[in-house]
Amino acid sequence: MNINRKIQTLDEFTIQQMRDFPNATGELAGLLRDIGLAAKRVHVEVNKAGLVDILGDHGTTNIQGEEVKKLDIFANNQFMGVLRHGISCAGIGSEEMDDIVVFDDEISNQSKYVCLFDPLDGSTNIDVNVSIGTIFSVFRRVSELGKPATKADFLQQGLKQVAAGYVIYGSSTMLVYATRRGANGFTLDQSIGEFTLSHPDIQCPPTGKIYSVNHGNYFRYDEKVKRYITACQQKTTETGGPYTQRYIGSMVADVHRSLIKGGIFMYPGTTDRPKGKLRLLYECNPFAFIMEIAGGKATDGQQRILEIQPTEVHQRTPFFVGSKLMMEELENS
Ligand code: AHG
């Protein structure tokens, strides 16, 4: 191991990237710093989740008589708080809130960006100590600067994302984000309390061995999806075996694995829920953007996720994302 290798923190990295653009104002770097700060606070709480019996159950009062917020509400408040008090965000949309929140004040009205996020995805996995995550997406406003942000700022095609990323609270906590310049991953170094660059220029392998889907819904999928699943079971990989099926039920973890190792993640529509479960703006657009920047693909089964014109902030969509060749096999099945 090269112990002299320079550690680069998330802040250093975003500032360095900004220097390559003489007209950059630093707002995006500021936004990412704010998101990193909220992620560290959520990381601390997620790590205490197993102690709720001692510290107080979420949603109840703890031993000190303080109200213990449910973790997803806690996470929502953290992300909303840093973005509201920062100077880079004109408003937010959150999976936890019914409608967008516009920060209508003098500074926020001058901010170029709006942010959408799912503060704690996979939260049903908290009780069993399985990886969960935060997903975020950043758009440049289309409304007039100096005035409050509008819904049109949030209802943009995913293609228009300026940045998208996620935080995975797993065996280590990682923040991965992508801009048009590339996708990079930062691991939280708890000894210094900083996200440090650990996965520079992430490229999704063109194929992989793992397909990820909820098999419990198999009989509710359409014939094309069933054919692809059967093909995965019958196919042999380079090492001679069938594909492996893995499904954590926390898409941040499932898609992260697919991004790093190659693979495909699917949440198809079902006969009872034709649009599936996942939300276009909070979950699918950000992962589609990251995956495409890393060389992979993402569709709703018919069209590129990033080309869908959203009509409402909470809309759902079937979602297929992963390695380029596996996605092409799915398309041709
Ligand atoms: P939740 O945040 O309610 O736990 O939902 C998690 C999402 C996503 O992360 C995961 O891939 C999917 O729901 C799992 O849903 P199923 O249990 O229906 O497969």
Side-chain angles (χ1 to χ4, degrees):
M1 192 172 84
N2 178 6
I3 53 169
N4 293 321
R5 195 175 142 217
K6 176 155 170 18
I7 288 172
Q8 196 170 26
T9 67
L10 176 64
D11 278 6
E12 287 169 337
F13 182 86
T14 51
I15 289 166
Q16 190 188 63
Q17 296 254 307
M18 188 186 84
R19 285 201 182 119
D20 295 342
F21 291 95
N23 297 328
T25 57
E27 278 186 71
L28 185 60
L31 196 63
L32 291 164
R33 185 191 53 234
D34 292 344
I35 289 171
L37 173 62
K40 284 189 255 184
R41 291 180 180 156
V42 174
H43 156 89
V44 171
E45 282 312 296
V46 167
N47 273 272
K48 286 197 298 206
L51 295 170
V52 286
D53 285 344
I54 304 166
L55 301 176
D57 205 354
H58 295 304
T60 64
T61 304
N62 69 14
I63 204 160
Q64 286 93 31
E66 299 156 339
E67 196 194 334
V68 182
K69 293 247 182 322
K70 282 181 189 289
L71 263 182
D72 38 13
I73 303 302
F74 174 85
N76 189 57
N77 291 344
Q78 291 307 315
F79 283 94
M80 183 159 76
V82 291
L83 294 171
R84 186 189 282 280
H85 295 118
I87 56 165
S88 313
C89 186
I92 56 159
S94 162
E95 208 221 26
E96 287 295 331
M97 297 185 302
D98 291 340
D99 208 351
I100 58 167
V101 175
V102 170
F103 305 147
D104 183 6
D105 59 66
E106 217 173 297
I107 294 175
S108 303
N109 289 348
Q110 292 296 341
S111 304
K112 274 199 291 218
Y113 300 111
V114 293
C115 193
L116 290 137
F117 56 89
D118 181 352
L120 213 53
D121 183 71
S123 50
T124 44
N125 279 323
I126 293 169
D127 293 349
V128 286
N129 213 349
V130 168
S131 299
I132 48 179
T134 299
I135 311 167
F136 62 90
S137 168
V138 180
F139 286 92
R140 193 185 298 274
R141 289 171 63 181
V142 289
S143 57
E144 197 181 327
L145 276 188
K147 298 203 168 146
T150 66
K151 203 158 234 174
D153 297 323
F154 297 86
L155 295 179
Q156 299 188 59
Q157 285 174 306
L159 277 173
K160 305 270 173 60
Q161 287 170 104
V162 171
Y166 61 89
V167 183
I168 178 164
Y169 310 99
S171 46
S172 56
T173 292
M174 261 187 89
L175 186 152
V176 175
Y177 84 92
T179 63
R180 270 169 220 294
R181 306 185 68 195
N184 293 280
F186 301 80
T187 301
L188 183 60
D189 179 343
Q190 297 194 53
S191 63
I192 55 169
E194 293 281 0
F195 283 105
T196 56
L197 183 63
S198 53
H199 295 62
D201 192 22
I202 297 172
Q203 298 293 323
C204 178
T207 191
K209 292 186 212 159
I210 300 175
Y211 72 102
S212 189
V213 67
N214 185 342
H215 259 281
N217 289 333
Y218 180 84
F219 291 107
R220 296 171 187 193
Y221 295 146
D222 69 25
E223 291 309 314
K224 184 172 173 164
V225 173
K226 286 186 195 164
R227 272 199 302 277
Y228 179 70
I229 292 174
T230 306
C232 289
Q233 291 165 331
Q234 289 172 338
K235 214 174 162 65
T236 45
T237 60
E238 313 100 63
T239 49
Y243 281 2
T244 294
Q245 195 273 344
R246 287 196 184 150
Y247 187 72
I248 297 169
S250 219
M251 77 176 295
V252 177
D254 280 317
V255 182
H256 177 68
R257 185 194 56 241
S258 309
L259 177 69
I260 302 294
K261 291 194 155 188
I264 189 167
F265 170 86
M266 303 180 272
Y267 203 107
T270 51
T271 43
D272 50 336
R273 283 208 287 195
K275 294 262 173 212
K277 175 182 183 186
L278 303 177
R279 317 270 185 160
L280 174 63
L281 297 191
Y282 308 113
E283 294 164 316
C284 306
N285 261 344
F287 274 120
F289 183 83
I290 298 162
M291 196 55 97
E292 286 203 8
I293 293 292
K297 293 183 99 177
T299 72
D300 67 355
Q302 309 288 330
Q303 73 174 125
R304 211 173 147 207
I305 287 289
L306 297 181
E307 288 177 358
I308 298 174
Q309 175 60 56
T311 51
E312 48 134 345
V313 284
H314 288 292
Q315 82 189 61
R316 297 176 198 268
T317 177
F319 190 45
F320 303 87
V321 65
S323 291
K324 188 167 176 287
L325 297 178
M326 293 176 89
M327 285 292 294
E328 286 167 3
E329 279 165 20
L330 167 70
E331 282 158 24
N332 297 327
S333 64

PDB file of all heavy atoms in Angstrom, residues 279-293:
ATOM      1  N   ARG A 279     -40.147   5.676  -7.667  1.00  0.00           N
ATOM      2  CA  ARG A 279     -40.499   7.046  -8.092  1.00  0.00           C
ATOM      3  C   ARG A 279     -39.494   7.552  -9.123  1.00  0.00           C
ATOM      4  O   ARG A 279     -38.277   7.476  -8.900  1.00  0.00           O
ATOM      5  CB  ARG A 279     -40.482   8.001  -6.900  1.00  0.00           C
ATOM      6  CG  ARG A 279     -41.107   7.456  -5.657  1.00  0.00           C
ATOM      7  CD  ARG A 279     -42.554   7.765  -5.581  1.00  0.00           C
ATOM      8  NE  ARG A 279     -43.053   7.296  -4.293  1.00  0.00           N
ATOM      9  CZ  ARG A 279     -44.160   7.721  -3.741  1.00  0.00           C
ATOM     10  NH1 ARG A 279     -44.900   8.613  -4.339  1.00  0.00           N
ATOM     11  NH2 ARG A 279     -44.556   7.246  -2.595  1.00  0.00           N
ATOM     12  N   LEU A 280     -40.046   8.123 -10.182  1.00  0.00           N
ATOM     13  CA  LEU A 280     -39.186   8.622 -11.262  1.00  0.00           C
ATOM     14  C   LEU A 280     -38.203   9.680 -10.762  1.00  0.00           C
ATOM     15  O   LEU A 280     -37.000   9.596 -11.012  1.00  0.00           O
ATOM     16  CB  LEU A 280     -40.061   9.199 -12.384  1.00  0.00           C
ATOM     17  CG  LEU A 280     -39.325   9.899 -13.523  1.00  0.00           C
ATOM     18  CD1 LEU A 280     -38.418   8.928 -14.272  1.00  0.00           C
ATOM     19  CD2 LEU A 280     -40.300  10.571 -14.488  1.00  0.00           C
ATOM     20  N   LEU A 281     -38.726  10.684 -10.045  1.00  0.00           N
ATOM     21  CA  LEU A 281     -37.874  11.836  -9.724  1.00  0.00           C
ATOM     22  C   LEU A 281     -36.898  11.571  -8.591  1.00  0.00           C
ATOM     23  O   LEU A 281     -35.787  12.094  -8.592  1.00  0.00           O
ATOM     24  CB  LEU A 281     -38.730  13.059  -9.380  1.00  0.00           C
ATOM     25  CG  LEU A 281     -39.623  13.589 -10.486  1.00  0.00           C
ATOM     26  CD1 LEU A 281     -40.200  14.942 -10.111  1.00  0.00           C
ATOM     27  CD2 LEU A 281     -38.889  13.718 -11.801  1.00  0.00           C
ATOM     28  N   TYR A 282     -37.320  10.783  -7.607  1.00  0.00           N
ATOM     29  CA  TYR A 282     -36.474  10.628  -6.414  1.00  0.00           C
ATOM     30  C   TYR A 282     -35.537   9.434  -6.504  1.00  0.00           C
ATOM     31  O   TYR A 282     -34.515   9.396  -5.830  1.00  0.00           O
ATOM     32  CB  TYR A 282     -37.350  10.474  -5.168  1.00  0.00           C
ATOM     33  CG  TYR A 282     -38.376  11.561  -5.042  1.00  0.00           C
ATOM     34  CD1 TYR A 282     -39.728  11.291  -5.171  1.00  0.00           C
ATOM     35  CD2 TYR A 282     -37.981  12.877  -4.824  1.00  0.00           C
ATOM     36  CE1 TYR A 282     -40.670  12.288  -5.089  1.00  0.00           C
ATOM     37  CE2 TYR A 282     -38.921  13.881  -4.735  1.00  0.00           C
ATOM     38  CZ  TYR A 282     -40.264  13.593  -4.867  1.00  0.00           C
ATOM     39  OH  TYR A 282     -41.188  14.591  -4.789  1.00  0.00           O
ATOM     40  N   GLU A 283     -35.924   8.415  -7.295  1.00  0.00           N
ATOM     41  CA  GLU A 283     -35.134   7.181  -7.299  1.00  0.00           C
ATOM     42  C   GLU A 283     -34.571   6.850  -8.683  1.00  0.00           C
ATOM     43  O   GLU A 283     -33.383   6.562  -8.824  1.00  0.00           O
ATOM     44  CB  GLU A 283     -36.013   6.020  -6.791  1.00  0.00           C
ATOM     45  CG  GLU A 283     -36.384   6.193  -5.324  1.00  0.00           C
ATOM     46  CD  GLU A 283     -37.548   5.303  -4.872  1.00  0.00           C
ATOM     47  OE1 GLU A 283     -38.551   5.204  -5.604  1.00  0.00           O
ATOM     48  OE2 GLU A 283     -37.453   4.715  -3.796  1.00  0.00           O
ATOM     49  N   CYS A 284     -35.451   6.885  -9.705  1.00  0.00           N
ATOM     50  CA  CYS A 284     -35.026   6.365 -11.014  1.00  0.00           C
ATOM     51  C   CYS A 284     -34.157   7.343 -11.794  1.00  0.00           C
ATOM     52  O   CYS A 284     -33.115   6.963 -12.337  1.00  0.00           O
ATOM     53  CB  CYS A 284     -36.244   5.942 -11.818  1.00  0.00           C
ATOM     54  SG  CYS A 284     -37.275   4.788 -10.903  1.00  0.00           S
ATOM     55  N   ASN A 285     -34.566   8.615 -11.871  1.00  0.00           N
ATOM     56  CA  ASN A 285     -33.761   9.586 -12.618  1.00  0.00           C
ATOM     57  C   ASN A 285     -32.318   9.662 -12.111  1.00  0.00           C
ATOM     58  O   ASN A 285     -31.386   9.607 -12.921  1.00  0.00           O
ATOM     59  CB  ASN A 285     -34.387  10.986 -12.508  1.00  0.00           C
ATOM     60  CG  ASN A 285     -35.216  11.339 -13.734  1.00  0.00           C
ATOM     61  OD1 ASN A 285     -35.095  10.695 -14.776  1.00  0.00           O
ATOM     62  ND2 ASN A 285     -36.051  12.346 -13.605  1.00  0.00           N
ATOM     63  N   PRO A 286     -32.117   9.790 -10.792  1.00  0.00           N
ATOM     64  CA  PRO A 286     -30.725   9.905 -10.344  1.00  0.00           C
ATOM     65  C   PRO A 286     -29.894   8.673 -10.696  1.00  0.00           C
ATOM     66  O   PRO A 286     -28.777   8.793 -11.209  1.00  0.00           O
ATOM     67  CB  PRO A 286     -30.826  10.073  -8.819  1.00  0.00           C
ATOM     68  CG  PRO A 286     -32.248  10.400  -8.530  1.00  0.00           C
ATOM     69  CD  PRO A 286     -33.088   9.989  -9.692  1.00  0.00           C
ATOM     70  N   PHE A 287     -30.473   7.471 -10.483  1.00  0.00           N
ATOM     71  CA  PHE A 287     -29.690   6.266 -10.800  1.00  0.00           C
ATOM     72  C   PHE A 287     -29.492   6.115 -12.306  1.00  0.00           C
ATOM     73  O   PHE A 287     -28.448   5.629 -12.746  1.00  0.00           O
ATOM     74  CB  PHE A 287     -30.348   5.024 -10.208  1.00  0.00           C
ATOM     75  CG  PHE A 287     -29.919   4.792  -8.785  1.00  0.00           C
ATOM     76  CD1 PHE A 287     -30.839   4.777  -7.759  1.00  0.00           C
ATOM     77  CD2 PHE A 287     -28.582   4.607  -8.470  1.00  0.00           C
ATOM     78  CE1 PHE A 287     -30.445   4.590  -6.451  1.00  0.00           C
ATOM     79  CE2 PHE A 287     -28.173   4.419  -7.159  1.00  0.00           C
ATOM     80  CZ  PHE A 287     -29.100   4.404  -6.153  1.00  0.00           C
ATOM     81  N   ALA A 288     -30.491   6.516 -13.097  1.00  0.00           N
ATOM     82  CA  ALA A 288     -30.344   6.427 -14.556  1.00  0.00           C
ATOM     83  C   ALA A 288     -29.197   7.339 -15.009  1.00  0.00           C
ATOM     84  O   ALA A 288     -28.368   6.961 -15.843  1.00  0.00           O
ATOM     85  CB  ALA A 288     -31.646   6.829 -15.237  1.00  0.00           C
ATOM     86  N   PHE A 289     -29.134   8.528 -14.436  1.00  0.00           N
ATOM     87  CA  PHE A 289     -28.081   9.485 -14.803  1.00  0.00           C
ATOM     88  C   PHE A 289     -26.698   8.934 -14.432  1.00  0.00           C
ATOM     89  O   PHE A 289     -25.782   8.905 -15.252  1.00  0.00           O
ATOM     90  CB  PHE A 289     -28.350  10.814 -14.078  1.00  0.00           C
ATOM     91  CG  PHE A 289     -27.382  11.913 -14.421  1.00  0.00           C
ATOM     92  CD1 PHE A 289     -27.550  12.688 -15.556  1.00  0.00           C
ATOM     93  CD2 PHE A 289     -26.297  12.189 -13.589  1.00  0.00           C
ATOM     94  CE1 PHE A 289     -26.655  13.711 -15.858  1.00  0.00           C
ATOM     95  CE2 PHE A 289     -25.401  13.209 -13.885  1.00  0.00           C
ATOM     96  CZ  PHE A 289     -25.577  13.971 -15.021  1.00  0.00           C
ATOM     97  N   ILE A 290     -26.585   8.465 -13.197  1.00  0.00           N
ATOM     98  CA  ILE A 290     -25.284   7.944 -12.738  1.00  0.00           C
ATOM     99  C   ILE A 290     -24.866   6.767 -13.618  1.00  0.00           C
ATOM    100  O   ILE A 290     -23.723   6.685 -14.075  1.00  0.00           O
ATOM    101  CB  ILE A 290     -25.374   7.482 -11.258  1.00  0.00           C
ATOM    102  CG1 ILE A 290     -25.717   8.657 -10.351  1.00  0.00           C
ATOM    103  CG2 ILE A 290     -24.069   6.809 -10.812  1.00  0.00           C
ATOM    104  CD1 ILE A 290     -26.242   8.240  -8.978  1.00  0.00           C
ATOM    105  N   MET A 291     -25.815   5.857 -13.870  1.00  0.00           N
ATOM    106  CA  MET A 291     -25.482   4.653 -14.633  1.00  0.00           C
ATOM    107  C   MET A 291     -25.080   5.006 -16.065  1.00  0.00           C
ATOM    108  O   MET A 291     -24.126   4.450 -16.600  1.00  0.00           O
ATOM    109  CB  MET A 291     -26.685   3.709 -14.598  1.00  0.00           C
ATOM    110  CG  MET A 291     -26.382   2.309 -14.994  1.00  0.00           C
ATOM    111  SD  MET A 291     -25.051   1.481 -14.083  1.00  0.00           S
ATOM    112  CE  MET A 291     -25.953   0.550 -12.867  1.00  0.00           C
ATOM    113  N   GLU A 292     -25.791   5.931 -16.676  1.00  0.00           N
ATOM    114  CA  GLU A 292     -25.417   6.308 -18.056  1.00  0.00           C
ATOM    115  C   GLU A 292     -24.043   6.974 -18.093  1.00  0.00           C
ATOM    116  O   GLU A 292     -23.242   6.715 -18.981  1.00  0.00           O
ATOM    117  CB  GLU A 292     -26.478   7.222 -18.680  1.00  0.00           C
ATOM    118  CG  GLU A 292     -27.738   6.468 -19.067  1.00  0.00           C
ATOM    119  CD  GLU A 292     -28.545   7.176 -20.148  1.00  0.00           C
ATOM    120  OE1 GLU A 292     -28.065   8.181 -20.730  1.00  0.00           O
ATOM    121  OE2 GLU A 292     -29.673   6.714 -20.413  1.00  0.00           O
ATOM    122  N   ILE A 293     -23.783   7.822 -17.123  1.00  0.00           N
ATOM    123  CA  ILE A 293     -22.462   8.480 -17.092  1.00  0.00           C
ATOM    124  C   ILE A 293     -21.361   7.426 -16.922  1.00  0.00           C
ATOM    125  O   ILE A 293     -20.266   7.550 -17.464  1.00  0.00           O
ATOM    126  CB  ILE A 293     -22.403   9.527 -15.938  1.00  0.00           C
ATOM    127  CG1 ILE A 293     -23.353  10.700 -16.215  1.00  0.00           C
ATOM    128  CG2 ILE A 293     -20.977  10.015 -15.669  1.00  0.00           C
ATOM    129  CD1 ILE A 293     -22.974  11.599 -17.371  1.00  0.00           C
TER     130      ILE A 293
END
